[in-house]
């Protein structure tokens, strides 16, 4: 075994990063807690969808440009530190804006909230590519798959704990100050996750690409890579279809709270259930990934998310809604693990940042599905929109069979 990869200490630091970072983000979970926060300042469904999408998908927009530079880097730790510091400042600034202006200046607060969220999310475009490159060269495929599964499991534990923190803050402190406290506390937790990655031992990458003379030429080369790689094409379409549940999902928590006449603190309960599903499922997903069964993982995830959305159409009590979030959490982490590991497997070492950026950029539309989802929700209503989402997901499940496990065997 190459002494520069599969170091247990590096695995531990990646796992700790998952625990602390997801614990921080989980305090403002984008499918449950964040929509409730935004809804306090504006009841516009499209705006709620926009903010939810910004937290999920803003990072991907910058990834191709980041990959343009990163492909020639032997080391990525130094620029990664800069990104971490910037993101931490912007995340804390969101809480500060809510604390200072949230009570009396809703319009100003929502603008400052949006600017902070935009800066936090889009700066991650560079961070994601640097981080993926660090993970890609630090572990072999099987070791990495199991590492990611353990990381996601511990991330779920951290997020579950943070869900309890969210519920306590939302219950014991008045709005909007409770929202500000969420961001203050999560900033502290987030810093611990960043420190874990900064302490990873990084070895220089030997096989690097010579950077093109211009970003335009890099884009042409990237397009050519996509045209020539049929496996990459199929993988991108499948992943994009898997995101279609986001058209409706960020609004299900609000629907449950309104239909069942629940306190807004129940958003934290739904976040807890969502993250519990994610956490527990990674025990199973990790075993499949260790056996290089990533395609099977994506198929099973489609089944779970289809079942989750279907139950949302018939939910009339807290127990059914609880099942919706548990199943969705399991499916979400299944998709995340499978497609994350699949792109590592098919990408050449010298072009790994490019492959990751191509997949993430082209599937980024899916991360913004909640924006048209909010618009369509105002027009069509929940039931019709859920039927549309189910149809897309069923098509995605069928299309998923075009992915052949044999293409990913070493």
């Amino acid at each position: 075994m190459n002494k520069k990869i599969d170091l247990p200490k590096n695995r531990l630091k990646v796992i700790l990063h998952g625990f602390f970072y997801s614990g921080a983000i989980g305090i403002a979970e984008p499918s449950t807690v964040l929509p409730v926060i935004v809804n306090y300042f504006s009841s516009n469904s499209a705006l709620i969808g926009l903010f939810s999408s910004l937290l999920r998908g803003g990072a991907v927009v910058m990834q191709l440009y980041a990959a343009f530079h990163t492909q020639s880097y032997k080391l990525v730790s130094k620029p990664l530190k800069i990104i971490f510091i910037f993101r931490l400042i912007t995340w804390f600034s969101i809480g500060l804006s809510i604390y200072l202006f949230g009570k009396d200046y809703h319009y100003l607060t929502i603008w400052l909230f949006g600017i902070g969220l935009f800066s936090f999310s889009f700066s991650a475009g560079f961070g994601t590519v640097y981080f993926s490159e660090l993970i890609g060269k630090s572990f072999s495929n099987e070791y990495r798959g199991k590492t990611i599964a353990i990381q996601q499991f511990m991330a779920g534990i951290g997020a579950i704990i943070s869900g309890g923190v969210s519920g306590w803050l939302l219950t014991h402190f008045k709005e909007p100050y409770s929202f500000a406290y969420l961001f203050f506390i999560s900033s502290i937790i987030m810093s611990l996750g960043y420190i874990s990655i900064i302490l990873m031992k990084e070895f220089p990458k030997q096989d690097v690409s010579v950077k093109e003379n211009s970003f335009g030429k890099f884009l042409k080369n990237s397009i050519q890579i996509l045209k020539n790689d049929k496996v990459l094409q199929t993988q991108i379409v499948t992943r994009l279809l898997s995101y279609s549940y986001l058209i409706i999902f960020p609004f299900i928590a609000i629907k449950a709270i309104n239909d069942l006449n629940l306190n807004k603190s129940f958003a934290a309960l739904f976040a807890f259930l969502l993250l519990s599903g994610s956490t527990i499922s990674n025990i199973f997903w990790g075993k499949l990934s260790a056996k290089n069964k990533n395609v099977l993982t994506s198929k099973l995830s489609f089944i779970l998310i289809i079942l989750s959305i279907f139950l949302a159409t018939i939910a009339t009590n807290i127990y059914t809604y609880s099942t919706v979030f548990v199943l969705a959490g399991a499916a979400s982490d299944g998709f995340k693990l499978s497609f994350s590991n699949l792109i590592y497997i098919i990408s050449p070492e010298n072009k790994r940042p490019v492959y990751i950026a191509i997949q993430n950029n082209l599937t980024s539309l899916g991360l913004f599905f909640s924006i048209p989802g909010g618009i369509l929700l105002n027009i069509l209503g929940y039931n019709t929109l859920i039927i549309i989402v189910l149809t897309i997901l069923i098509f995605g499940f069928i299309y998923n069979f075009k992915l052949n496990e044999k293409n990913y065997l070493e």
Side-chain angles (χ1 to χ4, degrees):
M1 184 183 70
N2 189 336
K3 67 178 182 179
K4 295 183 179 180
I5 64 173
D6 295 347
L7 298 179
K9 289 184 178 180
N10 276 350
R11 167 184 270 185
L12 176 61
K13 289 163 188 172
V14 170
I15 293 170
L16 287 174
H17 169 263
F19 176 78
F20 288 118
Y21 180 77
S22 292
I25 294 295
I27 288 180
E29 206 286 318
S31 292
T32 52
V33 179
L34 185 66
V36 171
I37 296 175
V38 179
N39 192 52
Y40 173 83
F41 299 106
S42 173
S43 59
N44 189 302
S45 296
L47 189 62
I48 295 171
L50 173 63
F51 276 62
S52 181
S53 294
L54 274 177
L55 187 53
R56 280 196 184 90
V60 296
V61 177
M62 295 298 296
Q63 285 187 29
L64 270 176
Y65 186 71
F68 167 55
H69 294 283
T70 309
Q71 62 180 323
S72 62
Y73 291 173
K74 290 187 176 182
L75 298 169
V76 296
S77 295
K78 186 175 181 179
L80 190 57
K81 293 176 185 177
I82 298 173
I83 293 297
F84 283 166
I85 293 172
F86 179 80
R87 297 193 80 211
L88 193 60
I89 292 173
T90 56
W91 188 254
F92 182 84
S93 73
I94 295 174
L96 187 61
S97 299
I98 295 174
Y99 184 82
L100 295 176
F101 308 111
K103 184 176 182 180
D104 300 316
Y105 305 99
H106 285 199
Y107 186 75
L108 174 61
T109 302
I110 206 70
W111 267 99
L112 293 174
F113 194 164
I115 292 171
L117 202 59
F118 176 92
S119 301
F120 176 82
S121 187
F122 277 71
S123 63
F126 282 90
T128 298
V129 173
Y130 298 151
F131 179 78
S132 297
E133 175 63 16
L134 183 61
I135 300 301
K137 69 178 179 179
S138 296
F139 308 113
S140 60
N141 288 333
E142 289 78 10
Y143 197 85
R144 185 194 314 112
K146 192 170 183 179
T147 298
I148 294 174
I150 297 172
Q151 182 206 37
Q152 289 186 178
F153 177 84
M154 292 306 298
I157 295 294
I160 288 171
I161 294 173
S162 71
V165 174
S166 295
W168 186 81
L169 288 171
L170 292 173
T171 302
H172 290 85
F173 293 92
K174 293 182 178 180
E175 303 167 344
Y177 298 110
S178 58
F179 304 147
Y181 298 150
L182 292 177
F183 284 94
F184 291 154
I185 293 175
S186 64
S187 295
I188 298 172
I189 300 172
M190 187 179 294
S191 66
L192 298 176
Y194 285 158
I195 290 171
S196 299
I197 293 299
I198 289 172
L199 294 177
M200 275 186 70
K201 188 173 183 61
E202 181 188 14
F203 295 93
K205 185 171 72 172
Q206 301 302 317
D207 188 8
V208 297
S209 291
V210 177
K211 188 171 67 173
E212 291 86 345
N213 294 328
S214 68
F215 183 57
K217 187 174 182 180
F218 167 80
L219 287 178
K220 290 180 181 179
N221 291 342
S222 299
I223 293 172
Q224 195 60 46
I225 288 174
L226 180 61
K227 287 182 178 179
N228 295 336
D229 197 324
K230 301 298 182 183
V231 177
L232 179 60
Q233 292 175 18
T234 304
Q235 191 170 299
I236 286 171
V237 174
T238 307
R239 190 182 190 190
L240 182 60
L241 290 169
S242 75
Y243 282 134
S244 60
Y245 80 98
L246 294 175
I247 295 174
I248 188 66
F249 201 77
F251 311 101
I252 291 178
I254 296 174
K255 179 178 186 293
I257 288 172
N258 291 336
D259 288 353
L260 303 179
N261 196 28
L262 303 173
N263 186 282
K264 287 184 179 180
S265 63
F266 271 81
L269 171 63
F270 294 141
F272 169 82
L273 294 168
L274 185 72
L275 297 165
S276 295
S278 300
T279 303
I280 296 170
S281 69
N282 276 295
I283 299 173
F284 180 62
W285 299 143
K287 291 180 179 180
L288 289 180
S289 185
K291 297 177 181 179
N292 215 10
K293 297 293 184 180
N294 297 288
V295 175
L296 176 60
T297 298
S298 66
K299 289 185 173 77
L300 294 175
S301 297
F302 265 108
I303 293 174
L304 292 179
I305 197 61
I306 289 170
L307 182 58
S308 171
I309 300 299
F310 171 74
L311 288 176
T313 65
I314 61 174
T316 56
N317 56 62
I318 190 69
Y319 304 108
T320 307
Y321 275 115
S322 296
T323 305
V324 167
F325 288 101
V326 171
L327 293 176
S332 177
D333 266 29
F335 286 134
K336 188 188 305 180
L337 174 59
S338 60
F339 289 112
S340 293
N341 217 30
L342 289 174
I343 194 64
Y344 283 124
I345 294 172
I346 68 171
S347 57
E349 181 184 7
N350 65 329
K351 289 295 180 184
R352 184 164 49 224
V354 182
Y355 267 68
I356 292 170
I358 290 173
Q359 174 173 278
N360 288 349
N361 272 263
L362 292 179
T363 58
S364 66
L365 288 175
L367 295 171
F368 291 94
F369 277 166
S370 57
I371 298 176
I375 297 172
L376 291 172
L377 180 61
N378 289 331
I379 300 172
L380 303 175
Y382 277 99
N383 292 336
T384 302
L385 186 57
I386 286 178
I387 292 173
I388 293 174
V389 171
L390 279 173
T391 302
I392 298 173
L393 285 171
I394 291 171
F395 175 75
F397 173 69
I398 296 172
Y399 189 88
N400 199 9
F401 282 86
K402 295 186 70 173
L403 289 177
N404 191 333
E405 203 87 60
K406 294 180 180 179
N407 293 324
Y408 300 96
L409 296 178
E410 295 181 298

